[in-house]
């Protein structure tokens, strides 16, 4: 956002109005990758499990950014904040690194839980 836009001036730019989800995972039916009746869109633990399964089957684009909802269990289990609104960019980057480098579908249990730091 430019200083003019921050002050309320109409500059004609529209790219900041893009409201599409930032994660390629939202283009995939994440409920197809759950084993319980819980919705991945309402439960961060289920979302993390579904994302790991979807990634491992190739259902999402390579390198797709994980949704913030899926990172909440990683932040929580690392002893950090539980509230996604409190996730700083640095904390999110740490959780995304753990998601990409340390977790895969083998870490998911039948109950859609993920063993993160075991």
């Amino acid at each position: 956002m430019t200083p003019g836009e921050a002050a309320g001036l109409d500059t004609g730019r529209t790219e900041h109005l893009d409201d599409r989800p930032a994660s390629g995972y939202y283009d995939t039916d994440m409920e197809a990758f759950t084993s319980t009746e819980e919705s991945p869109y309402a439960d961060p633990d289920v979302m993390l499990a579904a994302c790991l399964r979807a990634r491992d089957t190739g259902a999402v684009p390579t390198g797709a950014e994980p949704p913030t909802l899926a990172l909440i269990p990683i932040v929580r289990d690392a002893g950090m904040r539980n509230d996604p609104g409190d996730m700083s960019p640095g904390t999110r980057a740490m959780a995304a690194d753990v998601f990409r480098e340390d977790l895969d579908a083998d870490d998911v249990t039948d109950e859609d839980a993920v063993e993160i730091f075991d």
Side-chain angles (χ1 to χ4, degrees), residues 22-26 28 55 59-67 92 96 99-100:
S23 174
Y25 285 83
Y26 286 115
T28 302
R55 182 184 68 190
V60 294
T62 303
E65 258 318 287
R92 188 189 191 292
F99 176 87
R100 283 189 292 272

Side-chain angles (χ1 to χ4, degrees), residues 16-105:
H16 64 284
L17 298 175
D18 188 2
D19 62 353
R20 290 177 297 159
S23 174
Y25 285 83
Y26 286 115
D27 295 332
T28 302
D29 177 15
M30 298 309 295
E31 290 185 1
F33 296 96
T34 63
S35 62
T36 64
E37 295 297 318
E38 295 294 320
S39 170
Y41 304 103
D43 185 322
D45 293 287
V46 176
M47 178 59 92
L48 176 57
C51 287
L52 292 171
R53 287 180 179 133
R55 182 184 68 190
D56 281 11
T57 63
V60 294
T62 303
E65 258 318 287
T68 301
L69 185 63
L71 301 178
I72 292 170
I74 298 170
V75 172
R76 180 193 62 225
D77 287 6
M80 302 170 123
R81 298 190 181 264
N82 193 21
D83 182 356
D86 289 338
M87 194 180 303
S88 70
T91 299
R92 188 189 191 292
M94 176 280 305
D97 285 345
V98 170
F99 176 87
R100 283 189 292 272
E101 298 170 15
D102 299 328
L103 298 174
D104 59 34

Side-chain angles (χ1 to χ4, degrees), residues 1-23:
M1 181 175 285
T2 68
E5 289 167 342
L9 301 174
D10 181 7
T11 62
R13 290 179 47 226
T14 59
E15 66 271 9
H16 64 284
L17 298 175
D18 188 2
D19 62 353
R20 290 177 297 159
S23 174

